Each structure stands twice: as C-alpha cells, then as structure tokens.
Amino acid sequence: MRLVPKEFFVTSASAFSDVSDLNAFDKALIKMGIGEQNLVGVSSVIPAGAKETERKDMPMGAVTHCVLAQIRGHEGSVISAGIAYAFRKDGNGGYVAEGRMHGSEDSLANDLKMKIKEIAGCRNTELNEIRYVIEEMTIPKGSYGACVAALVFTCYE
C-alpha cells in the first residue's frame, strides 16, 4: 500500500502549563487543531502535486502524518520551534525543514533557512519562495512551556 499525500496544511501554537511540559505540549496541539489525532512523524518531502489547504477537521483518533517541530522548557526560558517549507522550481514537489532551539524566532529562522537550502542543494534543485511558520515564547514563572509547528498531510491517493 502506498500513501501519497495530495493535501497538507501548516499550523503552529505555543502554550504553557503549571503541571508539566507534556501538558503544555498537549495544550499547544489542541490550539493547533491536531490534539485529537494520533500523530506519526514523517521526513521532509512534499509530493509532486500536493496542494496547501486551510486547516481541516479530522476524525478523533485518526492516524495523521506530519512533519513536527517541538520544544519544551521551564520558567524563564525563551524557546522557539518552527518549520520552513518550499516547492521546487521544476514543479516536482517540495521540502520541509524543521527546527527548535532555546532562543529567538529570528535565530531559528536563520537556522531553518540554512537547513532547507542544503536540502535543495544536495539534490541539485532550486526552490521557489521559502515560507516559515515559527512559534516563540518566554515561559512564565512557575510554568512549563511548549512551542510546536507542523506541516500536516490530510488527503491521500
């Protein structure tokens, strides 16, 4: 059986919890609209012909493939997580780079730019416009935090 995604959406959120970093992560997933799915991480290839769509509701418990970037931390930390994605200029699909760091959105954007350019470079291909989705937060005192970004595949051939 081959699963080739035809559609995807991109989403992100940050959240905090007074209980644990896991709870902060769960709250971020709920805010992103993917907190009721069983997420399966995949590598970073957007198939040829796949189209970006608006966020879609999916059935509770659905096995959902995604490229996921996440970071968790504790009070006072500045954290960021994000993805960069772009389609190839030749129209043959695209790529996604994910990243996370204890640091700013700007620093992460630079890191993601280098990653996705190397992904294209080692394949001897050029990319169209690179798009970024990045979450940054300073975790409040007495709390745990999480930043999450994802490219979520929704429909398959």
Side-chain angles (χ1 to χ4, degrees):
M1 176 171 79
R2 287 190 191 151
L3 297 176
V4 181
K6 297 189 308 183
E7 294 181 351
F8 67 90
F9 66 87
V10 177
T11 184
S12 67
S14 58
F16 68 91
S17 168
D18 296 336
V19 176
S20 74
D21 64 352
L22 176 63
N23 292 95
F25 174 66
D26 186 49
K27 286 180 177 184
L29 292 177
I30 291 167
K31 287 169 76 173
M32 294 167 66
I34 57 174
E36 297 291 345
Q37 278 64 56
N38 288 304
L39 302 176
V40 177
V42 296
S43 62
S44 305
V45 177
I46 300 171
K51 304 286 184 208
E52 184 171 3
T53 66
E54 296 295 317
R55 186 168 80 183
K56 294 187 174 190
D57 291 329
M58 294 172 283
M60 182 174 186
V63 174
T64 304
H65 297 95
C66 64
V67 178
L68 184 75
Q70 67 157 309
I71 189 166
R72 305 177 200 182
H74 54 82
E75 69 177 47
S77 297
V78 176
I79 57 174
S80 57
I83 60 168
Y85 63 107
F87 289 97
R88 294 168 52 134
K89 283 190 175 180
D90 65 9
N92 195 20
Y95 304 103
V96 186
E98 69 273 4
R100 63 178 186 221
M101 69 172 44
H102 288 274
S104 72
E105 177 179 343
D106 290 341
S107 295
L108 182 57
N110 289 331
D111 182 61
L112 290 169
K113 183 178 181 179
M114 289 187 299
K115 286 179 178 180
I116 199 158
K117 285 188 172 192
E118 184 167 356
I119 288 169
C122 69
R123 290 168 171 82
N124 295 315
T125 191
E126 294 182 34
L127 299 174
N128 288 317
E129 175 191 0
I130 300 170
R131 298 179 185 171
Y132 299 89
V133 176
I134 300 173
E135 286 286 327
E136 175 190 322
M137 79 179 305
T138 300
I139 302 169
K141 185 174 178 162
S143 296
Y144 300 90
C147 292
V148 187
L151 185 141
V152 182
F153 293 110
T154 58
C155 295
Y156 298 88
E157 293 181 337

